[in-house]
Amino acid sequence: MKHGRAKAARKTLKFFSLNANINPPYKVILDGNFLAAAMKYKVPIIERIGNILQTTEFSLFITRSAIIELGNLPDGGDTIFSDARQFGLDECEVIERVGQNTDQSYDNDNDNDNENDNDNDNDKFELTPSHDIQNLVKDGNKEGYFVATQDKVLSDTLRDMIYVPQMWLTTRGGVLIFDTPSAASRKFAQREERVKQKTGGGTMTQEESDLIRRLKEKNDGRNNNNDNNNNSSNRGGDGGNANGNSNNAGIISVQRKKRKAKGPNPLSCKKKKTETKQVTVEKRKRRRRKKTSDE
């Protein structure tokens, strides 16, 4: 894994650790379509997920509905779906059916239908792997599951939930991508942080917060009174009392002395050049002696 993706993964893991308390050992739910894509691109799932999570302390899970879905899909000339199903049975811990979707609406127009008809309608409704995963991570993902899926609709639904880490494989090359925290998770974390700042990290009681509020109001009132007294004393001037200086007796005015320009720094001044007088030495003329006839 490249340095940039590893750095982004550490940042994302730190976000979920601080805000959602998701720490090792991690729990990763593999969707059926994710396993099929991994078998198609021959991706070493355990190694790649370990590189993304930057630890070997994690467990793989798969829902019972995903196992059934992979078993019902026919292999078209290859063994992708059967290999994905076998990997789910061998390497993953199977999560049994979570429960029926309580949000599913039924028609209640015929209130006088018998119980047999209602049982037949309920048998027709089966939870898909998408519904099972949503039921596992709803209400803030308290179990701390990571979800690996190729389903775009499921991925968009999980982004609207808070604190659900996601990963998927690219369609070219099968590169495992670790998604950044969703907008819903970031907004919820920011609201929680503001609440902690107001309540002292959640440890402040209501009585303590009321006491702090009263002390702040009292301190603000004192500051306002001091400001008003200072303004009135300044407006009174020197004619307020006979002594003239009694109003300003407690106020000491300190005037800053102006710095006068001094002489230049002798070290920074350029030294004057002293003129050297050149002493000219007259050359002695050599007198040549004339030769006489006697010599």
Side-chain angles (χ1 to χ4, degrees):
M1 188 170 59
K2 293 184 178 180
H3 177 70
R5 287 206 300 270
K7 185 178 180 181
R10 284 195 298 270
K11 187 176 180 180
T12 303
L13 289 172
K14 187 176 182 180
F15 173 85
F16 287 112
S17 175
L18 294 176
N19 296 286
N21 198 22
I22 300 178
N23 297 307
Y26 298 116
K27 301 177 183 178
V28 184
I29 300 177
L30 305 181
D31 198 2
N33 46 39
F34 179 85
L35 282 177
M39 297 299 113
K40 177 181 178 181
Y41 297 114
K42 298 180 180 180
V43 177
I45 299 176
I46 298 176
E47 179 184 352
R48 294 287 178 85
I49 293 179
N51 293 336
I52 285 289
L53 301 179
Q54 301 178 12
T55 182
T56 57
E57 297 180 6
F58 64 90
S59 301
L60 301 179
F61 295 85
I62 190 171
T63 59
R64 176 64 65 182
S65 56
I67 294 290
I68 296 172
E69 184 182 47
L70 290 172
N72 293 333
L73 294 174
D75 291 328
D78 49 17
T79 59
I80 292 177
F81 297 120
S82 59
D83 291 344
R85 182 177 181 276
Q86 192 63 37
F87 182 90
L89 291 173
D90 295 340
E91 302 295 339
C92 303
E93 182 178 346
V94 180
I95 301 175
E96 299 299 332
R97 178 146 297 180
V98 179
Q100 291 185 351
N101 189 2
T102 56
D103 296 335
Q104 180 70 20
S105 60
Y106 298 96
D107 294 334
N108 294 325
D109 295 334
N110 298 324
D111 294 332
N112 296 325
D113 292 342
N114 54 20
E115 294 180 357
N116 294 329
D117 293 338
N118 291 334
D119 294 337
N120 292 331
D121 292 338
N122 291 332
D123 292 335
K124 292 178 182 179
F125 175 70
E126 293 184 359
L127 290 177
T128 60
S130 176
H131 288 104
D132 284 341
I133 293 174
Q134 292 179 38
N135 290 333
L136 287 171
V137 300
K138 66 181 181 180
D139 298 332
N141 192 14
K142 297 178 181 179
E143 295 295 329
Y145 286 112
F146 289 72
V147 178
T149 181
Q150 300 292 107
D151 190 353
K152 296 290 184 64
V153 178
L154 174 60
S155 181
D156 293 339
T157 304
L158 296 179
R159 284 194 185 95
D160 294 334
M161 299 181 180
I162 59 172
Y163 301 148
V164 183
Q166 295 187 64
M167 55 184 71
W168 67 86
L169 293 170
T170 59
T171 55
R172 292 185 180 181
V175 179
L176 185 61
I177 301 298
F178 189 26
D179 194 10
T180 57
S182 63
S185 298
R186 292 196 300 270
K187 290 180 180 178
F188 187 82
Q190 290 175 359
R191 287 197 299 268
E192 289 291 318
E193 188 65 25
R194 286 195 293 267
V195 171
K196 288 180 181 179
Q197 290 176 357
K198 291 181 180 178
T199 61
T203 59
M204 186 183 299
T205 61
Q206 186 65 29
E207 295 178 356
E208 292 174 345
S209 60
D210 292 339
L211 178 61
I212 291 174
R213 180 177 53 80
R214 289 195 299 269
L215 290 175
K216 284 183 178 180
E217 292 176 354
K218 189 176 181 180
N219 191 18
D220 292 339
R222 288 180 179 178
N223 293 332
N224 293 330
N225 293 331
N226 292 333
D227 293 338
N228 294 329
N229 293 331
N230 292 332
N231 293 330
S232 61
S233 63
N234 292 331
R235 286 194 300 269
D238 295 336
N241 292 327
N243 294 331
N245 294 327
S246 60
N247 287 337
N248 298 327
I251 301 174
I252 301 173
S253 60
V254 179
Q255 294 182 356
R256 182 178 294 179
K257 293 181 180 180
K258 295 183 179 179
R259 297 183 64 182
K260 296 181 180 180
K262 297 181 180 179
N265 188 1
L267 298 177
S268 63
C269 295
K270 191 174 182 180
K271 294 182 179 180
K272 294 182 179 180
K273 293 182 178 180
T274 58
E275 296 180 359
T276 58
K277 295 182 179 180
Q278 295 182 358
V279 180
T280 58
V281 181
E282 294 182 358
K283 291 184 179 181
R284 233 169 130 188
K285 292 182 180 180
R286 198 169 168 189
R287 297 179 67 182
R288 299 181 65 181
R289 293 174 64 186
K290 295 182 180 180
K291 292 183 179 181
T292 58
S293 58
D294 296 335
E295 293 177 356

